[in-house]
Amino acid sequence: MAYAYALITLALCIAVAVLIAWSDRHPDRAIWPPRQFGFRARITTWTVTVAAIGAAYLAGRAGWNAWNWPDFVRWYVGFPLTFVSSSVSSWAIVRLGLDQSMGADNGLVTKSPFARTRNPTYLANVALCLGWVLLAASWPALIAAAALAALYAFAVPFEERWLARTYGAAYEQYRANTPRWL
């Protein structure tokens, strides 16, 4: 069952990547970001997000410590990494705003964690994926976490093009002064 959960995460990540790439090639008919934000857009976006991340969690739980790693690695490295990165990701989402984290156009955010990196949420989520692999210590967790991390890395250039189209010179100045990652 652990591999089934990992495959659900992988399939959802591939589907989201296809939608992002298609939207980038067809901005006049873009699916992401949604043209109108409302209940439907929020439910759709968060259902896919929760399903992908939830399946990744279940993949790790179902294959829990199949690699038989020592507790030190799992609980003293993996757990703190997941906790801290989850906290940073949450802080960045709160600072950005829930709708804006899904692509709503509510102004360019350049303060708080966004002053240090243009992608604090993605960066934190990639670290969270690494922490989850260390904590869960199994192939299904690695497959699911790698799929999520790859999606985060894949989305960045597409999101940057959308930000450049949406915010123009303000985004270009922000981009010139703030690193993509760290």
Side-chain angles (χ1 to χ4, degrees):
M1 194 67 187
Y3 284 102
Y5 292 130
L7 290 176
I8 290 169
T9 299
L10 178 61
L12 288 169
C13 288
I14 290 169
V16 169
V18 167
L19 291 175
I20 290 170
W22 188 89
S23 295
D24 183 66
R25 300 230 358 150
H26 305 282
D28 55 319
R29 297 176 291 169
I31 296 168
W32 180 91
R35 290 188 177 178
Q36 296 179 351
F37 274 87
F39 182 76
R40 190 170 143 232
R42 289 179 188 105
I43 290 299
T44 302
T45 301
W46 284 105
T47 298
V48 172
T49 301
V50 168
I53 294 171
Y57 168 78
L58 292 172
R61 285 295 299 147
W64 195 250
N65 200 22
W67 295 338
N68 200 27
W69 279 4
D71 286 347
F72 174 81
V73 171
R74 294 175 57 241
W75 291 104
Y76 294 104
V77 179
F79 179 75
L81 185 56
T82 59
F83 181 80
V84 170
S85 55
S86 178
S87 299
V88 170
S89 178
S90 298
W91 174 43
I93 290 170
V94 167
R95 180 64 183 99
L96 189 59
L98 206 51
D99 282 351
Q100 206 159 348
S101 74
M102 296 183 287
D105 178 8
N106 293 332
L108 185 61
V109 176
T110 61
K111 305 278 189 228
S112 296
F114 294 90
R116 300 214 180 265
T117 173
R118 295 191 313 261
N119 297 291
T121 306
Y122 292 156
L123 185 61
N125 286 346
V126 168
L128 175 61
C129 289
L130 174 60
W132 182 239
V133 170
L134 294 174
L135 187 59
S138 70
W139 288 110
L142 177 63
I143 293 166
L148 287 166
L151 177 61
Y152 299 136
F154 175 82
V156 169
F158 295 100
E159 185 175 287
E160 287 181 345
R161 283 193 288 277
W162 175 77
L163 289 165
R165 285 192 306 269
T166 304
Y167 299 111
Y171 177 71
E172 291 306 323
Q173 182 179 3
Y174 171 64
R175 184 177 174 180
N177 296 324
T178 310
R180 177 183 268 177
W181 299 111
L182 282 180

